[in-house]
Amino acid sequence: MKVPSLLLLLPIFIVALGALHGCRFKQSDSIERQTKKYYDFSERSDQLYAIYLTGNANEARQSLEKDIDSIIEGKEYLEPGGRAGMLFLAYCRLYVLEKRLGNNVEAEANLIKARYWLIRKGELLGLPTGETMQEVLKFTPAKIVETIDAFDKKLNDGSSPNYFQSIEE
């Protein structure tokens, strides 16, 4: 598993995601202070994602939960639509992890949360409700698993997260 190369790609992804959705700086804080908060967030998110990729199922779950907490706390310096997108992705990952572990109640709860954040993102971006719901309906449980697997493998040199390999054994 090539985590160091992932750690180089993940900041680029997060900065690109922030650029796509924009960072919002509060007028009351200096740009330097807000930028530092954002880079601290980005560094912490990178570390948590590395744990998600390399840890066992429990460590992966804990890292995702900590990442969600960090994203929620990031309301000071992350643009709302970007935050919603990040939360959607994190809850999708939790859905896949719990589904694979056979924790169906937890999986379904995370699926509902992922869909909520996708709807919220559409609202924040000003998309019509019908358009947003079409996107939600496209993300079936099977599509979420396929998307998360492809995304994680792409950022992990073609390998699934470690927790997945331990489940297969």
Side-chain angles (χ1 to χ4, degrees):
M1 191 171 311
K2 306 262 195 264
V3 174
S5 64
L6 170 67
L7 292 176
L8 296 174
L9 288 176
L10 205 51
I12 294 168
F13 169 73
I14 290 174
V15 170
L17 185 63
L20 274 175
H21 299 290
C23 287
R24 176 183 57 141
F25 295 128
K26 285 189 173 181
Q27 296 298 325
S28 61
D29 267 342
S30 70
I31 291 176
E32 294 86 14
R33 198 163 154 216
Q34 290 294 329
T35 301
K36 181 180 178 347
K37 287 181 182 180
Y38 177 78
Y39 282 109
D40 289 347
F41 161 80
S42 180
E43 188 174 305
R44 178 171 166 78
S45 186
D46 290 349
Q47 292 167 352
L48 291 169
Y49 189 67
I51 293 168
Y52 163 78
L53 290 174
T54 61
N56 61 35
N58 196 39
E59 292 166 332
R61 179 188 301 110
Q62 288 175 357
S63 72
L64 289 171
E65 290 169 348
K66 287 178 184 177
D67 196 36
I68 288 167
D69 290 343
S70 183
I71 294 166
I72 290 170
E73 291 169 8
K75 66 182 175 187
E76 294 179 26
Y77 47 86
L78 294 173
E79 186 274 328
R83 279 181 62 239
M86 291 177 192
L87 288 165
F88 166 72
L89 185 60
Y91 280 114
C92 284
R93 282 195 174 106
L94 270 175
Y95 165 76
V96 172
L97 183 144
E98 297 295 357
K99 191 71 173 171
R100 286 196 169 121
L101 293 173
N103 300 329
N104 293 327
V105 172
E106 290 84 354
E108 289 302 311
N110 288 308
L111 177 60
I112 290 167
K113 291 175 186 178
R115 288 177 171 164
Y116 167 80
W117 285 108
L118 188 57
I119 291 169
R120 204 53 204 117
K121 180 179 176 183
E123 291 171 346
L124 291 165
L125 295 176
L127 299 175
T129 303
E131 190 176 320
T132 299
M133 285 309 297
Q134 286 178 352
E135 286 301 310
V136 170
L137 294 174
K138 284 181 190 177
F139 275 98
T140 63
K143 182 68 173 176
I144 289 172
V145 170
E146 176 186 327
T147 301
I148 293 300
D149 284 350
F151 191 71
D152 287 347
K153 284 180 181 179
K154 184 173 184 173
L155 291 176
N156 196 29
D157 295 326
S159 297
S160 296
N162 192 52
Y163 83 83
F164 179 70
Q165 293 155 349
S166 65
I167 293 171
E168 290 182 323
E169 294 173 352

